[in-house]
Amino acid sequence: MKLQGNIVDIQNKRIFKGEITVKHDRIVSIKEKYHDVETYILPGFIDAHIHIESSMLVPSEFAKIAVKHGTVATVSDPHEIANVCGLEGVHFMIESGKQVPLKFNFGAPSCVPATTFESAGATINSNDVKELLQNPNIKYLTEMMNYPGVIFDDDEVLKKLHWAKHFNKPIDGHAPGLVGDNLTKYISAGISTDHECFTYDEALEKLQKGMKVLIREGSAAKNFEALISLLPKYYERLMFCSDDKHPDDLMLSHINNLCARAVSKGIDIFKILQVACINPVEHYNLDVGLLKEGDFADFIVVEDLVNFKTIQTFINGKLVYDKGLTFIQTELVKPINNFKCKTKQVSDFRIESETKQIRVIEALEGQLVTNEIIANSNIDNGNIVSNIDEDILKMTVVNRYHSNDNEDKPAIAFIKNFGLKEGAIASSVGHDSHNIIAVGVSDEAICKAVNLIIENKGGICAVSNSEEKILPLPVAGIMSDRSAEEVAETYQKLDVMTKELGSKLNAPYMTLSFMALLVIPSLKLSDKGLFNGTDFKFTSLEVN
């Protein structure tokens, strides 16, 4: 196969009219050759950190959409399904990814469960991590969220880090807000990246101390604007990532969008593409071609270097996407799951108290972090209930791994900024343990939404006074067994319904899913109760 275009040589910082010759899966020659083809050929885009599960698609279905945007590979953390199904979940993701040409590069989950303060469905210990890291399909140790364990020399944490070093595989970090001496010790343990920086100064300190920083722009956490001004100087130490990408967003764009936004800020095109295409391959030692002779024939053809609209995507020399058509064929998977809890009663969501003030989680648009605020309680017949006028709504986390009612009492908190005026929304996508999480205007609506999730053994849903909608997620309660198009369409309908119920958030389901993410401060809710992530301790709902 021969292909002509304006070839973008990123590392030598030049663009020339040329011809690429591909034989089997390799580039055998790249020659300068005059032609009148105005399209551009460049290495494919790589998402340097993503949880495929958050797209609600199995890897094979994710691939069909990603290649439309010029993505040829991902660095994928199977942490979410591992928290539900353990090692079986990790192997499920690997096998699903092998069905398709897109180059998924999975890691060994480092924090399953993510904390001891939440009930998860499985445990992956240091011996399991050793077993995974010996597998050539496992490229790295995934984000070490237990940064206190690193700082205070937790034996099990250190063993996991040891095995990654033993097998010479990179270690990903996860340390939002960590600075100073504690950051120095975290880095000295061998942790090389962080995708959780949400301020310029935090990212700058991490870069100056030797870390590589991933500029994240996902469906909920959006740090591009805060960090992009670092790129002109630190382009050799930056990568782009999504972290979590919901299906409707994935249908629209992927890493290509971050490149376009960076170009619009006047940043040098070669620096942008080094971040998007080159750095992940070199850092993680990926088997992905970089548009050189002898490399795997992984490259894309785009209309221009402004919007990066993909015309064609090639992986291992095969045309997998061409002018709107994806040539990836998949078979729908047989679901695996771990879902045991029983349906609930309205009375399960009562919180009997006469306290005058309560602690409230303040959800922040585009952030995983939250604030803690104090609000007046709204009491009805001895039960603290939602206050619609003040946008302070009742929230619950229900343990989905226990069938014993005594062990399965819903945890209750209150949250601000969801804006619902009617009904409730619920999801079994609840990072990191993926228990059921719901928020609503009344106990009755919350109970209805939670039971809809339980009856389907996983999903996301919205309920109103007259209607209910659900996207079933039978694969571990976090992914669909349907096509990407079906999932995106249903998700979009749910998003519309949620906003009709009054939600003010841009991505209400993604935001909801992170309100139980205990490794991100400040105030969150686990199935064991209200949790202060900053101080690593539980707090009571009541102020007095």
Side-chain angles (χ1 to χ4, degrees), residues 380-419:
D380 180 18
N381 193 28
N383 175 33
I384 307 179
V385 297
S386 296
N387 187 334
I388 300 173
D389 293 338
E390 298 294 328
D391 187 22
I392 296 174
L393 304 179
K394 186 174 281 189
M395 169 183 165
T396 185
V397 172
V398 177
N399 186 314
R400 62 126 137 176
Y401 301 109
H402 291 157
S403 58
N404 186 330
D405 291 336
N406 293 328
E407 296 178 343
D408 201 17
K409 183 70 175 174
I412 305 294
F414 287 83
I415 192 163
K416 186 174 179 64
N417 284 341
F418 269 83

Short mmCIF file of all heavy atoms in Angstrom, two decimals, residues 380-419:
data_model
loop_
_atom_site.label_atom_id
_atom_site.label_comp_id
_atom_site.label_asym_id
_atom_site.label_seq_id
_atom_site.Cartn_x
_atom_site.Cartn_y
_atom_site.Cartn_z
N ASP A 380 -39.17 16.97 58.28
CA ASP A 380 -40.58 16.66 58.06
C ASP A 380 -40.91 15.40 58.86
O ASP A 380 -40.42 14.32 58.54
CB ASP A 380 -40.85 16.43 56.57
CG ASP A 380 -42.31 16.09 56.28
OD1 ASP A 380 -43.17 16.36 57.15
OD2 ASP A 380 -42.58 15.53 55.20
N ASN A 381 -41.71 15.57 59.89
CA ASN A 381 -42.13 14.43 60.71
C ASN A 381 -40.94 13.66 61.26
O ASN A 381 -40.90 12.43 61.23
CB ASN A 381 -43.05 13.51 59.89
CG ASN A 381 -43.76 12.49 60.75
OD1 ASN A 381 -44.03 12.73 61.94
ND2 ASN A 381 -44.08 11.34 60.16
N GLY A 382 -39.96 14.41 61.74
CA GLY A 382 -38.78 13.79 62.35
C GLY A 382 -37.76 13.24 61.39
O GLY A 382 -36.77 12.64 61.79
N ASN A 383 -37.96 13.45 60.09
CA ASN A 383 -37.08 12.93 59.05
C ASN A 383 -36.45 14.11 58.31
O ASN A 383 -37.16 14.99 57.82
CB ASN A 383 -37.90 12.07 58.08
CG ASN A 383 -37.08 11.59 56.88
OD1 ASN A 383 -35.89 11.34 56.99
ND2 ASN A 383 -37.75 11.45 55.74
N ILE A 384 -35.11 14.13 58.23
CA ILE A 384 -34.46 15.19 57.44
C ILE A 384 -34.68 14.86 55.96
O ILE A 384 -34.35 13.76 55.49
CB ILE A 384 -32.96 15.28 57.74
CG1 ILE A 384 -32.70 15.43 59.25
CG2 ILE A 384 -32.36 16.49 57.01
CD1 ILE A 384 -31.23 15.51 59.61
N VAL A 385 -35.23 15.82 55.23
CA VAL A 385 -35.60 15.60 53.83
C VAL A 385 -34.92 16.64 52.94
O VAL A 385 -34.32 17.60 53.41
CB VAL A 385 -37.13 15.64 53.64
CG1 VAL A 385 -37.80 14.52 54.42
CG2 VAL A 385 -37.69 17.01 54.06
N SER A 386 -35.06 16.44 51.64
CA SER A 386 -34.50 17.39 50.67
C SER A 386 -35.16 18.75 50.81
O SER A 386 -36.34 18.87 51.14
CB SER A 386 -34.71 16.86 49.25
OG SER A 386 -34.00 15.66 49.03
N ASN A 387 -34.37 19.77 50.50
CA ASN A 387 -34.88 21.15 50.48
C ASN A 387 -34.73 21.65 49.05
O ASN A 387 -33.66 22.13 48.64
CB ASN A 387 -34.08 22.02 51.45
CG ASN A 387 -34.66 23.41 51.59
OD1 ASN A 387 -35.31 23.93 50.69
ND2 ASN A 387 -34.41 24.04 52.74
N ILE A 388 -35.79 21.51 48.27
CA ILE A 388 -35.74 21.84 46.85
C ILE A 388 -35.45 23.31 46.63
O ILE A 388 -34.68 23.70 45.74
CB ILE A 388 -37.05 21.42 46.15
CG1 ILE A 388 -37.28 19.92 46.30
CG2 ILE A 388 -37.02 21.81 44.67
CD1 ILE A 388 -38.63 19.46 45.80
N ASP A 389 -36.04 24.17 47.45
CA ASP A 389 -35.87 25.62 47.29
C ASP A 389 -34.41 26.03 47.45
O ASP A 389 -33.94 26.95 46.78
CB ASP A 389 -36.74 26.37 48.29
CG ASP A 389 -38.23 26.20 48.02
OD1 ASP A 389 -38.58 25.87 46.87
OD2 ASP A 389 -39.03 26.37 48.97
N GLU A 390 -33.69 25.36 48.33
CA GLU A 390 -32.29 25.70 48.58
C GLU A 390 -31.34 24.80 47.78
O GLU A 390 -30.12 24.92 47.90
CB GLU A 390 -31.97 25.57 50.08
CG GLU A 390 -32.77 26.51 50.97
CD GLU A 390 -32.42 27.97 50.72
OE1 GLU A 390 -31.25 28.24 50.37
OE2 GLU A 390 -33.33 28.82 50.86
N ASP A 391 -31.90 23.92 46.96
CA ASP A 391 -31.10 22.98 46.16
C ASP A 391 -30.18 22.15 47.05
O ASP A 391 -29.00 21.93 46.74
CB ASP A 391 -30.31 23.72 45.09
CG ASP A 391 -29.59 22.75 44.13
OD1 ASP A 391 -30.03 21.58 44.03
OD2 ASP A 391 -28.60 23.17 43.50
N ILE A 392 -30.72 21.68 48.16
CA ILE A 392 -30.00 20.76 49.03
C ILE A 392 -30.79 19.46 49.05
O ILE A 392 -31.87 19.37 49.65
CB ILE A 392 -29.83 21.34 50.44
CG1 ILE A 392 -28.94 22.59 50.36
CG2 ILE A 392 -29.21 20.31 51.39
CD1 ILE A 392 -28.82 23.35 51.66
N LEU A 393 -30.28 18.46 48.35
CA LEU A 393 -31.02 17.24 48.09
C LEU A 393 -30.43 16.06 48.84
O LEU A 393 -29.21 15.98 49.05
CB LEU A 393 -31.03 16.94 46.58
CG LEU A 393 -31.58 18.05 45.68
CD1 LEU A 393 -31.50 17.61 44.22
CD2 LEU A 393 -33.00 18.43 46.05
N LYS A 394 -31.31 15.13 49.19
CA LYS A 394 -30.86 13.92 49.85
C LYS A 394 -30.12 13.03 48.84
O LYS A 394 -30.52 12.91 47.68
CB LYS A 394 -32.03 13.16 50.47
CG LYS A 394 -31.62 11.95 51.30
CD LYS A 394 -32.80 11.30 52.02
CE LYS A 394 -33.19 12.08 53.26
NZ LYS A 394 -34.20 11.34 54.09
N MET A 395 -29.06 12.43 49.35
CA MET A 395 -28.22 11.56 48.52
C MET A 395 -27.99 10.26 49.28
O MET A 395 -27.95 10.24 50.52
CB MET A 395 -26.88 12.28 48.28
CG MET A 395 -25.78 11.46 47.66
SD MET A 395 -24.28 12.49 47.55
CE MET A 395 -23.05 11.24 47.26
N THR A 396 -27.85 9.17 48.56
CA THR A 396 -27.63 7.88 49.22
C THR A 396 -26.59 7.06 48.47
O THR A 396 -26.44 7.19 47.25
CB THR A 396 -28.94 7.08 49.33
OG1 THR A 396 -28.70 5.89 50.08
CG2 THR A 396 -29.47 6.70 47.95
N VAL A 397 -25.88 6.22 49.22
CA VAL A 397 -25.05 5.17 48.64
C VAL A 397 -25.52 3.85 49.23
O VAL A 397 -25.60 3.69 50.45
CB VAL A 397 -23.56 5.38 48.93
CG1 VAL A 397 -22.75 4.17 48.47
CG2 VAL A 397 -23.05 6.64 48.22
N VAL A 398 -25.85 2.91 48.36
CA VAL A 398 -26.38 1.60 48.75
C VAL A 398 -25.37 0.53 48.37
O VAL A 398 -24.97 0.41 47.20
CB VAL A 398 -27.74 1.32 48.08
CG1 VAL A 398 -28.24 -0.08 48.44
CG2 VAL A 398 -28.76 2.39 48.46
N ASN A 399 -24.93 -0.25 49.34
CA ASN A 399 -24.00 -1.34 49.09
C ASN A 399 -24.67 -2.39 48.20
O ASN A 399 -25.72 -2.92 48.53
CB ASN A 399 -23.58 -1.97 50.42
CG ASN A 399 -22.50 -3.02 50.27
OD1 ASN A 399 -22.57 -3.87 49.40
ND2 ASN A 399 -21.51 -2.95 51.13
N ARG A 400 -24.04 -2.68 47.07
CA ARG A 400 -24.64 -3.65 46.14
C ARG A 400 -24.04 -5.04 46.25
O ARG A 400 -24.42 -5.95 45.51
CB ARG A 400 -24.51 -3.15 44.71
CG ARG A 400 -23.09 -2.98 44.22
CD ARG A 400 -22.86 -3.76 42.94
NE ARG A 400 -22.11 -2.96 41.97
CZ ARG A 400 -21.70 -3.43 40.80
NH1 ARG A 400 -21.95 -4.67 40.45
NH2 ARG A 400 -21.02 -2.66 39.98
N TYR A 401 -23.08 -5.22 47.16
CA TYR A 401 -22.39 -6.50 47.25
C TYR A 401 -22.92 -7.38 48.38
O TYR A 401 -22.47 -8.52 48.53
CB TYR A 401 -20.89 -6.28 47.44
CG TYR A 401 -20.27 -5.48 46.31
CD1 TYR A 401 -19.86 -4.16 46.51
CD2 TYR A 401 -20.13 -6.03 45.05
CE1 TYR A 401 -19.30 -3.43 45.47
CE2 TYR A 401 -19.58 -5.30 44.01
CZ TYR A 401 -19.16 -4.00 44.23
OH TYR A 401 -18.62 -3.27 43.20
N HIS A 402 -23.86 -6.89 49.20
CA HIS A 402 -24.40 -7.66 50.31
C HIS A 402 -25.89 -7.90 50.09
O HIS A 402 -26.62 -7.02 49.64
CB HIS A 402 -24.22 -6.92 51.64
CG HIS A 402 -22.80 -6.83 52.09
ND1 HIS A 402 -22.35 -5.87 52.96
CD2 HIS A 402 -21.71 -7.59 51.78
CE1 HIS A 402 -21.06 -6.03 53.16
NE2 HIS A 402 -20.65 -7.06 52.44
N SER A 403 -26.34 -9.09 50.43
CA SER A 403 -27.77 -9.40 50.38
C SER A 403 -28.39 -9.41 51.77
O SER A 403 -29.60 -9.56 51.93
CB SER A 403 -28.00 -10.77 49.72
OG SER A 403 -27.30 -11.78 50.41
N ASN A 404 -27.55 -9.23 52.79
CA ASN A 404 -28.02 -9.20 54.18
C ASN A 404 -28.51 -7.80 54.52
O ASN A 404 -27.73 -6.84 54.47
CB ASN A 404 -26.88 -9.61 55.12
CG ASN A 404 -27.33 -9.76 56.56
OD1 ASN A 404 -28.25 -9.08 57.00
ND2 ASN A 404 -26.67 -10.65 57.30
N ASP A 405 -29.78 -7.67 54.86
CA ASP A 405 -30.35 -6.36 55.13
C ASP A 405 -29.62 -5.63 56.25
O ASP A 405 -29.51 -4.39 56.24
CB ASP A 405 -31.84 -6.47 55.49
CG ASP A 405 -32.68 -6.88 54.28
OD1 ASP A 405 -32.22 -6.64 53.15
OD2 ASP A 405 -33.78 -7.44 54.47
N ASN A 406 -29.13 -6.35 57.23
CA ASN A 406 -28.43 -5.73 58.35
C ASN A 406 -27.10 -5.11 57.92
O ASN A 406 -26.60 -4.19 58.56
CB ASN A 406 -28.19 -6.74 59.46
CG ASN A 406 -29.49 -7.20 60.12
OD1 ASN A 406 -30.44 -6.43 60.21
ND2 ASN A 406 -29.52 -8.45 60.56
N GLU A 407 -26.50 -5.63 56.85
CA GLU A 407 -25.24 -5.11 56.36
C GLU A 407 -25.43 -4.12 55.22
O GLU A 407 -24.47 -3.55 54.72
CB GLU A 407 -24.36 -6.28 55.86
CG GLU A 407 -23.95 -7.26 56.94
CD GLU A 407 -23.13 -8.40 56.38
OE1 GLU A 407 -23.17 -8.60 55.14
OE2 GLU A 407 -22.46 -9.08 57.16
N ASP A 408 -26.66 -3.91 54.84
CA ASP A 408 -26.95 -3.19 53.61
C ASP A 408 -27.80 -1.95 53.87
O ASP A 408 -28.62 -1.58 53.04
CB ASP A 408 -27.66 -4.13 52.63
CG ASP A 408 -27.53 -3.65 51.20
OD1 ASP A 408 -26.66 -2.82 50.93
OD2 ASP A 408 -28.32 -4.12 50.36
N LYS A 409 -27.63 -1.32 55.01
CA LYS A 409 -28.38 -0.11 55.31
C LYS A 409 -27.84 1.03 54.47
O LYS A 409 -26.64 1.32 54.49
CB LYS A 409 -28.23 0.22 56.80
CG LYS A 409 -29.02 1.44 57.25
CD LYS A 409 -30.51 1.17 57.24
CE LYS A 409 -31.27 2.37 57.82
NZ LYS A 409 -32.73 2.19 57.71
N PRO A 410 -28.68 1.71 53.70
CA PRO A 410 -28.17 2.81 52.87
C PRO A 410 -27.53 3.91 53.71
O PRO A 410 -28.01 4.25 54.79
CB PRO A 410 -29.44 3.32 52.17
CG PRO A 410 -30.38 2.15 52.18
CD PRO A 410 -30.10 1.43 53.47
N ALA A 411 -26.45 4.46 53.22
CA ALA A 411 -25.82 5.63 53.83
C ALA A 411 -26.49 6.88 53.24
O ALA A 411 -26.85 6.90 52.06
CB ALA A 411 -24.33 5.64 53.54
N ILE A 412 -26.62 7.90 54.06
CA ILE A 412 -27.35 9.09 53.66
C ILE A 412 -26.48 10.34 53.85
O ILE A 412 -25.75 10.47 54.83
CB ILE A 412 -28.65 9.27 54.48
CG1 ILE A 412 -29.52 8.00 54.41
CG2 ILE A 412 -29.42 10.49 54.02
CD1 ILE A 412 -30.09 7.70 53.05
N ALA A 413 -26.57 11.26 52.91
CA ALA A 413 -25.95 12.57 53.04
C ALA A 413 -26.82 13.58 52.29
O ALA A 413 -27.88 13.22 51.75
CB ALA A 413 -24.53 12.56 52.48
N PHE A 414 -26.36 14.82 52.24
CA PHE A 414 -27.05 15.85 51.47
C PHE A 414 -26.05 16.55 50.56
O PHE A 414 -24.86 16.66 50.89
CB PHE A 414 -27.75 16.84 52.41
CG PHE A 414 -28.97 16.25 53.05
CD1 PHE A 414 -28.84 15.48 54.19
CD2 PHE A 414 -30.22 16.42 52.49
CE1 PHE A 414 -29.95 14.89 54.78
CE2 PHE A 414 -31.35 15.85 53.07
CZ PHE A 414 -31.21 15.08 54.22
N ILE A 415 -26.54 16.98 49.41
CA ILE A 415 -25.65 17.53 48.39
C ILE A 415 -26.29 18.75 47.74
O ILE A 415 -27.51 18.83 47.59
CB ILE A 415 -25.32 16.44 47.34
CG1 ILE A 415 -24.18 16.87 46.43
CG2 ILE A 415 -26.55 16.04 46.52
CD1 ILE A 415 -23.53 15.72 45.67
N LYS A 416 -25.43 19.68 47.35
CA LYS A 416 -25.89 20.91 46.70
C LYS A 416 -25.37 20.99 45.28
O LYS A 416 -24.26 20.54 44.99
CB LYS A 416 -25.41 22.13 47.49
CG LYS A 416 -25.96 23.47 46.99
CD LYS A 416 -25.55 24.60 47.89
CE LYS A 416 -26.07 25.95 47.40
NZ LYS A 416 -27.55 26.02 47.40
N ASN A 417 -26.15 21.58 44.41
CA ASN A 417 -25.82 21.92 43.02
C ASN A 417 -26.33 20.91 41.99
O ASN A 417 -26.04 21.08 40.80
CB ASN A 417 -24.31 22.15 42.81
CG ASN A 417 -23.88 23.49 43.36
OD1 ASN A 417 -24.70 24.38 43.57
ND2 ASN A 417 -22.59 23.64 43.61
N PHE A 418 -27.09 19.91 42.40
CA PHE A 418 -27.70 19.04 41.38
C PHE A 418 -28.95 19.68 40.79
O PHE A 418 -29.31 19.41 39.64
CB PHE A 418 -28.00 17.65 41.94
CG PHE A 418 -26.87 16.69 41.74
CD1 PHE A 418 -25.80 16.66 42.61
CD2 PHE A 418 -26.84 15.85 40.63
CE1 PHE A 418 -24.73 15.82 42.42
CE2 PHE A 418 -25.78 14.99 40.42
CZ PHE A 418 -24.72 14.97 41.31
N GLY A 419 -29.65 20.48 41.55
CA GLY A 419 -30.73 21.30 41.00
C GLY A 419 -32.03 20.61 40.67
O GLY A 419 -32.91 21.21 40.05
#
